[in-house]
Amino acid sequence: MSSNVGLTTPRGSGTSGYVQRNLSNLRPRDNSFSPYPTDSLKHRQRQPNAEILEHDRLRQIEVQVFELRDKLEDEEVEEDEIEAQTEALRRKLLGSTDGDSGRGDGKGKKGLKVHQVHELAKAKIEESERLRRALGIREDYEEGAHWKRGEERLREGIPEANNDDGGRGLKKERW
């Protein structure tokens, strides 16, 4: 054994005592190069697909119409009367949701299932917008902009300040 590497004796270890280099060990690199641009690391809210939302809305209307049709058929109402009532319900539901400006059925985020991805995204956007308005946050607000401005001010101030505080702007007190 050389330079105190490995076992002092291979006896009882179940190995031959031969020491190999660990090729799977990844050592950290000094430079912090990232192949991804920093803009791609920002969180972007997933935008809901309007066509899918419209399709789901129309599907819910047709489900209600079918339930009415089924109920009327069980009551043995005439076919002409069934058609008239279902068409009236369909027109009423289509008319009421058109003037709704896309707010949905008012269930909010809690009434949605996990598989309703687009509805959840829409509800999350609406919730974020309400929160932004409630807290008075500007629409053009960029997360982390405060730190960027501070960093820029610091860079501009470094050549001017030649003190030993590392450019932090700390005041030294003398005793």
Side-chain angles (χ1 to χ4, degrees):
M1 293 285 114
S2 62
S3 63
N4 294 331
V5 176
L7 304 171
T8 55
T9 176
R11 272 202 215 163
S13 67
T15 65
S16 67
Y18 184 74
V19 177
Q20 293 183 345
R21 197 173 95 199
N22 184 0
L23 298 175
S24 65
N25 184 25
L26 298 175
R27 286 182 253 145
R29 297 185 178 206
D30 291 338
N31 58 355
S32 60
F33 171 74
S34 175
Y36 307 106
T38 56
D39 293 340
S40 68
L41 299 176
K42 289 182 182 176
H43 172 71
R44 288 179 298 213
Q45 179 66 43
R46 181 178 183 163
Q47 297 297 316
N49 189 335
E51 292 176 1
I52 293 175
L53 291 172
E54 179 66 15
H55 173 78
D56 286 344
R57 184 182 69 84
L58 293 175
R59 184 178 171 278
Q60 288 298 323
I61 290 172
E62 289 303 318
V63 165
Q64 291 178 359
V65 169
F66 184 76
E67 287 173 351
L68 175 66
R69 173 180 281 283
D70 192 36
K71 185 181 111 183
L72 292 175
E73 286 175 354
D74 286 345
E75 294 174 358
E76 298 179 0
V77 178
E78 293 181 19
E79 189 65 31
D80 295 336
E81 182 64 26
I82 292 174
E83 287 296 324
Q85 286 188 18
T86 55
E87 191 59 36
L89 178 64
R90 185 178 290 120
R91 270 185 270 139
K92 181 183 126 195
L93 292 174
L94 283 173
S96 68
T97 56
D98 286 343
D100 199 8
S101 72
R103 287 282 299 166
D105 53 359
K107 289 190 291 188
K109 192 174 169 184
K110 292 185 179 181
L112 298 173
K113 304 272 191 279
V114 176
H115 67 279
Q116 295 175 313
V117 178
H118 296 276
E119 289 87 348
L120 284 169
K122 181 180 176 189
K124 181 65 176 174
I125 289 172
E126 290 173 357
E127 178 186 14
S128 297
E129 184 64 22
R130 275 194 313 271
L131 186 63
R132 184 190 62 75
R133 278 187 269 123
L135 296 176
I137 299 172
R138 296 186 322 254
E139 288 186 34
D140 62 341
Y141 173 76
E142 183 180 340
E143 189 174 332
H146 172 73
W147 299 111
K148 288 179 186 175
R149 285 192 304 265
E151 210 172 88
E152 290 170 2
R153 275 191 238 123
L154 183 64
R155 270 192 238 125
E156 292 170 358
I158 286 177
E160 297 170 6
N162 291 330
N163 47 3
D164 293 335
D165 63 358
R168 286 174 286 211
L170 299 176
K171 294 181 181 176
K172 290 187 178 182
E173 293 183 16
R174 295 199 174 208
W175 299 81

